[in-house]
Amino acid sequence: HEGLAIFRATAMPAKKADSGAKAKKAALAVSKGTQSKGAVKVRTKVHFYRPKTLQKPRDPKYPRRSAPRATRLDHFSILKFPLTTES
């Protein structure tokens, strides 16, 4: 334990001049307080609306379908099912 006492004495030397300023600062903090009171927001509405938050645009990393959709009405289907009739 003697070695520990020597280590403490050499590691942290006492500062006499600085302690008076610290004491004054502590006394001021005790008398006035450290937390300052901020301004109170005036509420103008009686209903609360959830604030609109950040909405990022879609940035897909891969296609959700494995293959693109095939067109249903190609030039063979048009002949089978004509859109207009001539009769």
Side-chain angles (χ1 to χ4, degrees):
H1 296 287
E2 292 174 12
L4 188 63
I6 293 170
F7 174 73
R8 282 188 185 152
T10 56
M12 292 178 274
K15 294 180 182 176
K16 295 288 181 183
D18 197 31
S19 62
K22 272 189 176 179
K24 282 183 181 177
K25 192 175 179 182
L28 186 69
V30 167
S31 64
K32 288 197 166 185
T34 55
Q35 296 281 10
S36 62
K37 185 166 172 66
V40 178
K41 184 183 175 185
V42 178
R43 298 191 67 84
T44 56
K45 297 180 281 197
V46 293
H47 296 285
F48 174 76
Y49 293 100
R50 186 180 294 167
K52 287 188 166 71
T53 55
L54 178 69
Q55 291 176 339
K56 296 171 85 173
R58 287 184 182 186
D59 185 20
K61 303 293 184 245
Y62 63 94
R64 294 294 184 247
R65 292 180 56 89
S66 59
R69 285 192 169 99
T71 54
R72 287 174 173 243
L73 220 54
D74 56 354
H75 56 280
F76 298 111
S77 301
I78 291 282
L79 293 176
K80 279 189 260 183
F81 310 107
L83 295 176
T84 57
T85 56
E86 296 181 11
S87 60

